[in-house]
Amino acid sequence: MSAGPESKAWFERAKRVLPGGVNSPVRAFGAVGGEPLVIHSARGKTITDVDGRDYLDFVGSWGPLILGHAHPKVIEAIGAAAKRGTSYGAPCELEIELAEHVVSLYPGIEQLRFVSSGTEAVMSALRLARGATGRKLIVKFEGCYHGHVDHMLVAAGSGLATFGRPSSAGVPEELTGLTRVLPLDDDAALEALFHHEGDRIAAVIVEPVPANNGLLLQRREFLKKLRDYCDRDGALLIFDEVISGFRLGPGGAAAHYDITPDLATFGKVIGGGMPVGAFAGKAALMDELAPSGAVYQAGTLSGNPVAMAAGLATLRTLEAEDGWTRLDELGAHLEHELAGVIETSGANASAVRIGSIFWLALETRSPPRSAGAVAKGAAEAYAPLFRALLDGGIALAPSAYEVGFVSLVHSIPDLDRLAAALERFWSGQ
Ligand code: PMP
C-alpha cells in the first residue's frame, strides 16, 4: 500500500504550484520513496489523509503537538483569541502573559522576544550575540540543525542530513566564513578551537539534545565544557531548544543538564502548533535589542495573539496535568518495549530516548553521540521499515535522521502497537 488515489491526485496538483510539491523538503518523502500522504485532518493521536485513512501519529507536526492534535483546550483558546481579532501590530495581553509564563519556567532568563519560527529565533539570537560581544565568529556542531539561516547551513542535520548535502546552494562561502564547525562529543577539538580563536568567538550554539541527525545524546561533561570555555573566553552560550524546550520539561535541556545558557531559542511546543519562535536571556543582554539597544530585530506578526493563545493553553495544560512526568513515563515504557523487540528479533538497531523524544538508531547496537558515528547504511535500512509501518497505519517521520515524538494523548497500548509493528517487521526480514 502506498499513498491512496486522492493523495496522489492532490500531490500532482501540488507539484504544479509548489516546488517539489511541498513547503518544507522532508515532507516530500524523497528519503523513503513513494509519494507523501496529503492530510485532511488530525485529532488526538490520529492523522487522517484525503483518502480517509487513519494513522497513529508519532510525528506530531515535527514536535509542537505535545498534547496531540487539535487538543480541545488549545482549539478553544485559539477560537476565543481569533474572535478578538487575529493580529493587532501592537502590544497585547496574551504576548505578555506567555512571556511571563516562559520566564517563570525556564532557568536563567528574564526577558524574551517572540518571532514566528525557530529559524527566525536562531537568526536573531546570533545577531544579538554578535552585537553584544562585538565579535564575529559563531561555533556550531556537525549534525546540529538551527533552521535555514544562511551561515548555519554548514554540516547541518534535518533535511540536509537526509539529502547528504554538506551545505546549500545559494549560500556564498563569504557568509559561512565566520562559522566554525566542530564535531559533537569531541573535547579535544573544542579545546583546540578555543585555544586558537577563543577571543574571537561571539557565541557557541548547540542543540543540547541534538535531534536533527538522529538523537545524539551528549555527555553532560561535554555540554559543561561549552559553558566553561564560553565563560573563560567571554563568548555567549546559546542553547537551541526549539525541539527540547518545554518538551523535556518546563526548563528544557537547561534544567535537565543543570547548565544555564546565556541565550536560549525556542519554537515548536511554545506555539502549541501555531507559528511561534522566541529567544530569551537575561534582561541586560536582551536590552541590547531595538528599541532599547542597537541590535535591530522586528516582525509584523511577532507576538501574534492567536498564536500566543495556543502556546499559553499548551503550557498551562501541561502544567495542570503534570504532563512532563507522564510523558517521561510513556517515553520510558516505549524505550523498554523497543529495546525488548530489538533483543528478541535480533535487529541491528538501538532505541535512543530522552523524555518523550525517541529515535531508532539503525545498523548499530551502540547509540551514536556524533554525526560521524551514525551508521552509513541507516537511511537504506530505514526506508522499508518506514513503509511497512505506514502500511500498518503508523506514521513515523519520513527520514532515518528525524526523531519521533510521544504526546500526552498516546496510551500504553499505542506504544505497544508501535513496538509490535517493529517486531513483525524485523522478525519477517
Ligand atoms: N532549531 C532546531 C533545533 C530545530 O529542530 C528547528 C526545526 N526543526 C529549527 C531550529 C528551525 O525551526 P523552524 O523550522 O520553525 O524554522
Side-chain angles (χ1 to χ4, degrees):
M1 190 170 84
S2 55
E6 288 293 324
S7 271
K8 280 186 197 286
W10 275 100
F11 196 59
E12 277 310 309
R13 284 172 63 177
K15 283 193 283 193
R16 276 179 231 132
V17 286
L18 303 170
V22 291
N23 280 301
S24 198
V26 186
R27 294 181 195 170
F29 275 34
V32 288
E35 287 180 314
L37 310 176
V38 176
I39 303 305
H40 173 68
S41 63
R43 192 169 190 82
K45 59 197 174 196
T46 306
I47 51 170
T48 305
D49 68 12
V50 286
D51 288 282
R53 296 174 184 167
D54 289 342
Y55 299 85
L56 174 59
D57 182 33
F58 288 99
V59 185
S61 187
W62 306 82
L65 298 176
I66 196 163
L67 304 178
H69 293 275
H71 188 282
K73 291 236 164 60
V74 178
I75 299 305
E76 188 190 314
I78 288 174
K83 281 192 189 128
R84 289 160 52 192
T86 53
S87 181
Y88 313 129
C92 68
E93 294 147 88
L94 285 163
E95 67 181 359
I96 300 164
E97 283 185 74
L98 183 56
E100 284 172 350
H101 214 75
V102 169
V103 164
S104 75
L105 293 178
Y106 192 86
I109 62 169
E110 294 168 346
Q111 293 191 349
L112 71 157
R113 177 156 289 173
F114 289 112
V115 291
S116 301
S117 70
T119 296
E120 242 188 296
V122 168
M123 181 182 79
S124 308
L126 294 177
R127 185 180 307 137
L128 174 59
R130 283 175 164 147
T133 59
R135 298 177 178 183
K136 295 181 182 171
L137 295 186
I138 303 289
V139 180
K140 83 175 282 287
F141 293 88
E142 214 181 305
C144 284
Y145 178 65
H146 301 294
H148 60 97
V149 182
D150 277 341
H151 55 136
M152 289 292 100
L153 286 177
V154 195
S158 200
L160 296 169
T162 295
F163 301 124
R165 272 194 235 136
S167 186
S168 163
V171 180
E173 275 161 27
E174 285 84 346
L175 291 185
T176 53
L178 296 171
T179 307
R180 299 288 181 268
V181 185
L182 290 177
L184 284 163
D185 190 43
D186 189 335
D187 299 53
L190 179 69
E191 193 174 328
L193 180 70
F194 267 87
H195 179 73
H196 291 296
E197 300 194 289
D199 59 352
R200 297 178 59 215
I201 297 171
V204 173
I205 184 165
V206 68
E207 288 180 77
V209 174
N212 278 289
N213 203 309
L215 185 57
L216 307 172
L217 298 180
Q218 296 300 292
R219 292 171 291 121
R220 179 179 187 275
E221 306 82 75
F222 181 72
L223 297 173
K224 181 68 172 48
K225 274 213 167 99
L226 303 184
R227 179 69 281 175
D228 293 344
Y229 284 130
C230 283
D231 285 344
R232 191 192 67 194
D233 287 355
L236 300 180
L237 178 62
I238 305 176
F239 274 2
D240 184 345
E241 298 237 35
V242 166
I243 286 183
S244 50
F246 313 104
R247 176 164 282 277
L248 280 195
H256 181 85
Y257 290 110
D258 190 22
I259 298 172
T260 306
D262 299 295
L263 288 169
T265 54
F266 303 112
K268 304 198 190 249
V269 174
I270 198 175
M274 296 291 282
V276 181
F279 59 107
K282 290 263 187 273
L285 182 54
M286 296 300 287
D287 265 340
E288 304 266 347
L289 285 174
S292 8
V295 178
Y296 192 70
Q297 196 284 333
T300 301
L301 293 173
S302 297
N304 174 269
V306 183
M308 297 289 105
L312 256 179
T314 299
L315 293 184
R316 283 183 176 147
T317 304
L318 279 165
E319 282 173 280
E321 297 182 8
D322 194 14
W324 290 293
T325 306
R326 175 75 185 142
L327 284 163
D328 196 46
E329 286 165 6
L330 290 169
H333 178 85
L334 180 62
E335 182 183 0
H336 181 262
E337 292 303 305
L338 294 179
V341 300
I342 287 168
E343 211 42 58
T344 50
S345 64
N348 188 13
S350 39
V352 188
R353 194 272 309 184
I354 183 167
S356 54
I357 310 171
F358 67 94
W359 181 53
L360 289 169
L362 299 182
E363 302 297 290
T364 179
R365 280 288 179 104
S366 52
R369 283 205 295 253
S370 66
V374 175
K376 296 286 167 281
E380 291 72 42
Y382 185 76
L385 180 155
F386 167 83
R387 284 198 297 269
L389 263 64
L390 201 64
D391 287 350
I394 298 177
L396 293 182
S399 159
Y401 301 101
E402 304 286 349
V403 294
F405 296 100
V406 174
S407 87
L408 265 190
V409 280
H410 287 123
S411 63
I412 295 286
D414 295 330
L415 306 178
D416 292 347
R417 186 178 155 202
L418 171 59
L422 284 165
E423 183 163 37
R424 271 195 306 279
F425 174 76
W426 279 321
S427 304
Q429 273 191 335

